Amino acid sequence: MAHDHVNDDPYIYNGWPMNTPMDIRLGLTHENGIHHPLRWGIISASSISSDWVKSLQDVPGASVAAIAARDLDRARMFAEAHEIPTAYDSYQALCEDPDVDIVYIASKTWDHHRDLMMAVNARKHILCEKPFTDTADQAKEAYDAADKAGVVCWEGMWLRFFPAVEHARAAMERGDIGDLRVVQADYPDRVYALNPAITGFGADEMPVIAAAGCKARPQAHADGVLSAHGSSPSAAVLQYSGQEGIAVITFPNGRFIEESQYIGTQGRITIETPSHHPTAVTIRTGRPPKRGTRRQEGKPSIELDPREGWTGDWIETHWNQDRNPSSGPFNHVERFEYPCPTPAPITRGQPPGSRWTGERLITYKGWTWHGGNQHGFTYQAQAIHRCMAAGLREMPQWTTAESIRVCEIIDEINRQCAERGF
């Protein structure tokens, strides 16, 4: 995209700050939608469910009506710790509870399809943890059933809602790095590692895939279905012929950097580690910030003056930045920090803590945090309430087509690794 079509203010896109949630930036929702009332029912008394319940405290319209576990005592203890009024030892009973509007599914991945269909048949809205299902056929069946039942069904791809990712997507959409050519990402779990490829190249084109690595093995407890999580180590090269782009994705079982790189013809965007719940994004482009009035005067932002040489509104910052020519002609490098509401725990087992919002003290109920930056669930939770308030069938940050496309890519990686893996 030519610079003439880019905002003069590098920190604003179409009138919005770069980290503005996409649903708001596109005019699909309103920020007051977080007050939209939804009564949540939680399937599985797991640590990830605890993090979700804690994060719902930052959504004014959210309440938790019920929790279900396979063991009633476990469900009751979870309910007591999180101040949830009703506990069930049956997922079916929770889905049939008239006080539940939307079901959060955090059961084992191989049970997701079963639990998705159960909730759909009970006419409940659904947020299902990722991986959504083990296969693309299972995903399509669940989404089709939800559509026919008139309920929303979303995959909980929380990383798409982090401000660092919202910023990166806005920068790519604005054309800051030119045409995307290469995506690089790594993570042991395929559903996370593949996400940047879909972020960059979208879901419209099914890439040509060359996969290698550990042999995929059938799950005995899931009727021989191959796991969506896959086996490590493995890797895949995705060729997007129509877009002239390549994604190089690795799924390690050793130490890994966990960065996501978006490399374009005019720059590079790095989603900093840990890229599946990031708090920072670095953008390297050839477009430093500007300050001046040349555009309003009908002049180009920068021009070659025969007396003075290059003259314009560009701020001379590049000499204090990275001089690597691959960064672009001006070598402009900026890092943007977006800390989570509650800092990441150093280790699992740390208490959830409390924080002052500027208006009130929030003390998080329940178990200790499951892992790093889990309070980032808040961004996704707020988006769900906004989208439900607006009557949207899907969230723009993570669409049904994108969810299915990841399943299809994983199916093909599993197929190739099952045939040729070691």
Side-chain angles (χ1 to χ4, degrees):
M1 180 182 295
H3 292 323
D4 289 344
H5 297 94
V6 177
N7 294 347
D8 284 344
D9 187 337
Y11 310 112
I12 298 293
Y13 180 43
N14 289 338
W16 296 99
M18 297 294 284
N19 65 318
T20 303
M22 184 180 289
D23 55 289
I24 294 176
R25 177 166 60 84
L26 296 178
L28 301 174
T29 70
H30 192 277
E31 55 189 317
N32 287 340
I34 61 175
H35 295 274
H36 179 71
L38 284 176
R39 300 170 298 177
W40 288 83
I42 311 298
I43 284 183
S44 179
S46 60
S47 57
I48 204 75
S49 294
S50 175
D51 291 342
W52 182 252
V53 171
K54 291 192 292 288
S55 296
L56 285 175
Q57 289 182 243
D58 287 300
V59 187
S63 61
V64 182
I67 171 70
R70 289 172 293 183
D71 176 83
L72 186 57
D73 287 340
R74 182 178 178 85
R76 285 172 173 166
M77 287 187 286
F78 188 101
E80 181 179 357
H82 297 81
E83 299 182 12
I84 299 173
T86 306
Y88 293 108
D89 61 355
S90 162
Y91 296 169
Q92 182 70 51
L94 180 139
C95 290
E96 293 174 353
D97 187 333
D99 292 328
V100 170
D101 301 314
I102 184 167
V103 173
Y104 173 74
I105 297 175
S107 51
K108 298 297 184 182
T109 301
W110 55 78
D111 288 333
H112 281 183
H113 179 259
R114 177 201 68 191
D115 298 337
L116 282 161
M117 300 306 293
M118 183 188 305
V120 166
N121 290 334
R123 297 296 193 273
K124 301 297 184 186
H125 302 301
I126 303 164
L127 176 71
C128 181
E129 271 302 336
K130 73 282 164 223
F132 187 67
T133 54
D134 278 318
T135 70
D137 285 344
Q138 291 176 341
K140 292 172 184 176
E141 182 181 2
Y143 282 126
D144 287 345
D147 187 57
K148 292 175 182 176
V151 297
V152 300
C153 182
W154 294 324
E155 181 180 14
M157 188 53 68
W158 69 316
L159 74 87
R160 284 294 187 97
F161 299 86
F162 275 77
V165 175
E166 298 274 18
H167 187 140
R169 297 188 75 181
M172 283 188 280
E173 186 178 323
R174 191 172 64 176
D176 288 10
I177 63 170
D179 296 325
L180 184 66
R181 288 291 178 255
V182 177
V183 171
Q184 296 174 339
D186 66 344
Y187 195 77
D189 198 325
R190 291 171 178 174
V191 72
Y192 278 136
L194 286 165
N195 197 281
I198 305 299
T199 302
F201 295 115
D204 290 342
E205 182 178 357
M206 179 65 180
V208 177
I209 301 168
C214 189
K215 186 180 291 293
R217 293 179 175 84
Q219 301 175 95
H221 43 268
D223 298 325
V225 173
L226 300 177
S227 172
H229 294 278
S231 302
S232 297
S234 56
V237 175
L238 316 180
Q239 178 173 314
Y240 290 86
S241 300
Q243 300 175 71
E244 300 180 1
I246 294 173
V248 181
I249 311 297
T250 55
F251 321 102
N253 64 350
R255 300 303 299 171
F256 54 97
I257 192 169
E258 203 201 335
E259 288 180 348
S260 296
Q261 302 281 351
Y262 300 92
I263 305 165
T265 54
Q266 298 177 22
R268 175 190 292 246
I269 295 175
T270 303
I271 307 293
E272 302 290 354
T273 185
S275 64
H276 81 291
H277 50 213
T279 57
V281 57
T282 300
I283 302 180
R284 298 167 171 85
T285 69
R287 184 176 62 85
K290 293 177 284 185
R291 185 182 296 119
T293 60
R294 294 178 61 88
R295 183 64 63 84
Q296 290 87 338
E297 296 168 4
K299 302 176 183 178
S301 297
I302 186 171
E303 64 180 342
L304 186 60
D305 187 286
R307 294 184 181 86
E308 302 179 29
W310 286 107
T311 302
D313 292 338
W314 301 103
I315 300 173
E316 296 291 342
T317 61
H318 56 285
W319 295 115
N320 296 320
Q321 300 288 352
D322 178 8
R323 291 190 176 192
N324 182 352
S326 68
S327 296
F330 290 97
N331 302 324
H332 186 66
V333 181
E334 287 190 284
R335 179 184 173 104
F336 301 88
E337 302 275 354
Y338 297 106
C340 282
T342 299
I346 297 174
T347 61
R348 291 183 183 180
Q350 289 190 302
S354 61
R355 70 184 181 94
W356 176 251
T357 68
E359 298 179 350
R360 63 192 179 101
L361 181 70
I362 298 179
T363 299
Y364 296 97
K365 308 177 183 71
W367 297 353
T368 56
W369 291 107
H370 169 72
N373 294 343
Q374 288 295 142
H375 198 175
F377 266 155
T378 294
Y379 307 124
Q380 178 181 241
Q382 292 177 344
I384 288 170
H385 280 251
R386 290 194 302 265
C387 290
M388 290 290 288
L392 299 185
R393 300 293 298 172
E394 62 181 9
M395 295 179 284
Q397 285 93 336
W398 184 243
T399 66
T400 298
E402 291 174 317
S403 175
I404 291 173
R405 182 65 79 204
V406 168
C407 292
E408 290 173 334
I409 293 172
I410 290 175
D411 281 353
E412 178 59 18
I413 292 172
N414 274 340
R415 185 191 67 78
Q416 292 188 29
C417 287
E419 289 182 358
R420 304 192 300 269
F422 46 76

